[in-house]
Amino acid sequence: MADNVWILGITMTKFGKHADKDIVDLASAAAMGALADGGVTMREMGIMAAGNLMGPGGVGQQIQKQVGQTGIPVYNVSNACATGATALRTVIMAIKAGECDMGIAVGVEKLAGAGLLGGGGQAKRDGKVWEAKGRYGAVAPTDGRIGTDTMPGTFAQIGMEYGHKYGGADFELFARISEKNHAHSTLNPLAAYSKRFTLEEIMGDMMIAYPNTRPMCSANCDGAAAAVLVSETKLRTLSLEQQRRAVKVAASVLTTDPWEEACQILPNVNTLTRNAAKQAYEAAGVGPDDLDLVELHDCFATAELVHYDNLMLCPEGGAVDFFNSGAPWRDGTTPVNVSGGLQSKGHPISATGIANVWEVCHHLRGEAGDRQIEGAKVGLAHVIGLGSACGIHVLEKSAA
Amino acid sequence: MDDWRSSITTVRVVTDTATPTGAQVPLVDYLVLGAHPHLEANRCMSCGARFFDRRNACASCFGTEFERVAIATEGTVRAFTIVTFAAPGVPVPFVSAVIDCDGTSVRGNLVNVEPDPSKVTLHMPVRLTTYSMGIDDNGTEAVAFGFEPT
Ligand SMILES: [Zn+2]
């Protein structure tokens, strides 16, 4: 039986605009923060996994040059919006495999001002002659002619498809989900935006892709997060204070999307999330009812709705009723995105899959201050990247 | 990933100097033109999975033999969005939709309908239609497809 793995130290930078810092600065701040939080140094680390999507590559070695070059293996990972979760899981697997007893995962992104993601994507053409290119033999860019390639549009359709299947999901419902997350963000000092919006303000804002208006879309921003992981055997040799603050990784799961009809034209974010959730609950020996808080991947308000269902926080088809019951508000039965979620906290892609774990750990340790979910013992962090990849981590408070 | 803005261009087709030759090319190779325009898919001969692009092996069953099959030209809207903010060069607003064409899901724009949430509905019946994208220097016309309400 492989050893359990625990989070010994974890941190995130403030999300937002960091004009005076590059990705290495941000990642180094997060890495040094996580090491200090865990009461250890780079000397104890046996592995580093580093996630970054938009930078030049090889960010792990660049981070080492700023925080400590000890010769340990670095895994530079890239897995869309699941990159941070993948970095975390890479370190967890190395510890489970017995290759080392401590390691560090880092995720970093600079996205402030990046604008619309996912649109366009065809090579530049100079000629005035129609010429077929690519796997579809396209003679012109297809974005905007054969549907949309943009993220807001893709996830809008994903939410609308849920409404098509089960009913009850309209523009106002999606806007109210966003209202909840923005309300939650007012308690999070590390969020990129922590302003409360009225429902009218959300619905009246600039429409990006119906039914997602601007505040219903995740905020592009800069940020980093890092975690130090430790084997249970090693943890038991550390101080009582370190053991008390450590958070158990009860499940660490990564899935991709199995083939289904339609997945070639609209990514199916549901099946791989449901598959990951099933595996995670089984590994952790907990069910959705046991969760004291959930940080799920609300890259758009339309996405949050479908993941209530995919994570089985409600009966199948019951996501609209689940939201309308008040359950996912911070005083509800299953608080969802008490950090403010990606719509207000921000979404520096590769940092997201560690920052959501930090949020859950913050509550399990009883250190979340004004936004503390009282008595939180078990939480779940979920990310999904199109392509697709889904990462889920279930975290448990230390009994010590 | 490159900055998304650098990868966007729009084909500038000079229509006033070119002479139409009557030749046509489809926007994508799975659009079949002619008297009865329709879409074609590569269907896996082992499991029946349908793909609009060429595949090295079937994503569903790993089979390697495919045949071309025609896709129904009528269907219903299963999901849509009205895109009002897109990459430069992409005209907005437009309606992007997922259409269930008799069991094969197709992606396309809804055309000949106002891009307004009160005019586009889920379950709406639609049919394939084609339109000209312009004529190039050789006199060749490119033809695109969309779906219009029936
Ligand atoms: Zn097959």
Side-chain angles (χ1 to χ4, degrees):
Chain A
M1 184 70 188
D3 208 354
N4 286 319
V5 178
W6 292 67
I7 291 170
L8 182 63
I10 187 163
T11 193
M12 66 176 274
T13 67
K14 180 172 168 55
F15 283 2
K17 277 191 188 118
H18 290 282
D20 56 337
K21 293 191 175 70
D22 61 22
I23 57 168
V24 179
D25 292 324
L26 286 169
S28 300
M32 289 190 284
L35 291 162
D37 185 52
V40 288
T41 71
M42 278 302 289
R43 188 62 62 196
E44 284 91 7
M45 298 302 110
I47 176 180
M48 173 184 278
N52 177 249
L53 279 187
M54 314 300 256
V59 73
Q61 285 85 343
Q62 294 179 58
I63 297 166
Q64 287 187 315
K65 289 174 177 61
Q66 302 303 320
V67 304
Q69 286 175 260
T70 57
I72 59 171
V74 161
Y75 294 83
N76 290 296
V77 303
S78 164
N79 218 357
C81 300
T83 295
T86 303
L88 199 64
R89 178 152 171 69
T90 300
V91 174
I92 290 168
M93 288 194 297
I95 295 173
K96 283 221 176 247
E99 292 210 356
C100 54
D101 54 23
M102 254 193 242
I104 184 166
V106 190
V108 62
E109 212 74 63
K110 282 208 72 159
L111 272 185
L116 187 69
L117 300 179
Q122 281 229 348
K124 186 176 165 58
R125 312 168 39 104
D126 298 318
K128 296 182 185 104
V129 173
W130 301 115
E131 189 187 347
K133 283 185 179 164
R135 291 187 85 89
Y136 294 96
V139 301
T142 56
D143 181 31
R145 286 193 179 91
I146 304 179
T148 182
D149 288 343
T150 66
M151 294 293 136
T154 299
F155 279 94
Q157 290 176 110
I158 285 165
M160 295 293 274
E161 188 181 42
Y162 191 87
H164 173 267
K165 208 168 165 188
Y166 300 113
D170 56 17
F171 179 24
E172 186 182 320
L173 178 101
F174 291 121
R176 283 166 54 217
I177 290 173
S178 189
E179 181 190 21
K180 167 185 74 76
N181 289 352
H182 287 293
H184 285 169
S185 77
T186 60
L187 298 172
N188 186 355
L190 297 185
Y193 301 94
S194 47
K195 175 182 180 303
R196 186 163 189 157
F197 291 87
T198 65
L199 183 61
E200 291 68 32
E201 284 170 331
I202 291 167
M203 293 181 76
D205 207 310
M206 180 183 176
M207 183 62 74
I208 303 294
Y210 180 88
N212 286 322
T213 64
R214 188 168 46 185
M216 295 163 72
C217 300
S218 52
N220 288 334
C221 65
D222 307 334
V228 171
L229 296 120
V230 62
S231 72
E232 187 161 297
T233 305
K234 178 72 178 178
L235 177 64
R236 295 304 164 221
T237 70
L238 302 179
S239 75
L240 287 178
E241 178 63 4
Q242 283 167 308
Q243 294 186 43
R244 187 190 64 74
R245 289 184 73 248
V247 171
K248 185 180 172 184
V249 180
S252 171
V253 177
L254 190 67
T255 58
T256 58
D257 49 335
W259 184 85
E260 285 171 277
E261 203 289 313
C263 73
Q264 64 167 334
I265 57 140
L266 182 67
N268 184 333
V269 303
N270 303 317
T271 305
L272 81 165
T273 298
R274 189 171 282 271
N275 287 350
K278 277 183 199 154
Q279 290 178 41
Y281 292 135
E282 192 177 322
V286 301
D289 291 344
D290 300 315
L291 301 175
D292 297 305
L293 75 157
V294 172
E295 287 287 304
L296 63 74
H297 202 72
D298 65 319
C299 47
F300 299 91
T302 46
E304 176 155 332
L305 183 80
V306 303
H307 294 314
Y308 294 153
D309 199 322
N310 296 329
L311 296 173
M312 294 174 270
L313 308 181
C314 61
E316 202 166 335
V320 173
D321 291 343
F322 175 79
F323 179 76
N324 284 334
S325 75
W329 282 80
R330 54 171 291 115
D331 57 356
T333 51
T334 311
V336 174
N337 291 335
V338 296
S339 67
L342 311 189
Q343 291 165 62
S344 29
K345 181 175 74 177
H347 184 22
I349 303 175
S350 297
T352 294
I354 298 175
N356 61 359
V357 170
W358 175 83
E359 178 70 23
V360 173
C361 289
H362 215 41
H363 292 268
L364 300 183
R365 288 166 155 185
E367 298 174 356
D370 289 346
R371 69 178 186 288
Q372 176 69 40
I373 297 297
E374 285 307 323
K377 290 188 171 59
V378 184
L380 180 149
H382 158 257
V383 284
I384 183 167
L386 286 189
S388 297
C390 174
I392 290 185
H393 287 91
V394 176
L395 305 148
E396 274 178 29
K397 182 186 173 72
S398 168
Chain B
M1 201 185 305
D2 292 325
D3 185 291
W4 60 280
R5 286 160 298 196
S6 67
S7 61
I8 310 302
T9 57
T10 305
V11 181
R12 307 284 174 203
V13 179
V14 183
T15 48
D16 50 351
T17 56
T19 311
T21 59
Q24 290 187 326
V25 288
L27 168 58
V28 283
D29 59 14
Y30 62 91
L31 169 63
V32 179
L33 301 175
H36 302 287
H38 63 276
L39 303 181
E40 271 188 3
N42 296 311
R43 183 169 68 182
C44 171
M45 292 180 68
S46 311
C47 77
R50 295 164 301 279
F51 305 96
F52 287 116
D53 57 341
R54 62 185 163 81
R55 296 284 168 132
N56 300 68
C58 173
S60 173
C61 78
F62 335 129
T64 53
E65 288 186 71
F66 298 88
E67 59 182 346
R68 299 287 285 179
V69 291
I71 301 299
T73 55
E74 298 203 350
T76 55
V77 173
R78 210 179 69 214
F80 74 90
T81 180
I82 301 164
V83 177
T84 39
F85 187 75
V90 176
V92 288
F94 68 90
V95 185
S96 167
V98 175
I99 297 125
D100 182 351
C101 291
D102 197 23
T104 301
S105 297
V106 178
R107 172 176 151 163
N109 283 11
L110 297 188
V111 297
N112 302 329
V113 62
E114 218 177 299
D116 183 306
S118 67
K119 300 287 171 11
V120 184
T121 54
L122 295 170
H123 306 283
M124 188 167 81
V126 293
R127 68 174 161 239
L128 186 104
T129 184
T130 58
Y131 61 92
S132 175
M133 291 171 55
I135 291 160
D136 71 7
D137 288 351
N138 297 339
T140 301
E141 180 185 34
V143 177
F145 71 92
F147 288 84
E148 63 183 4
T150 55

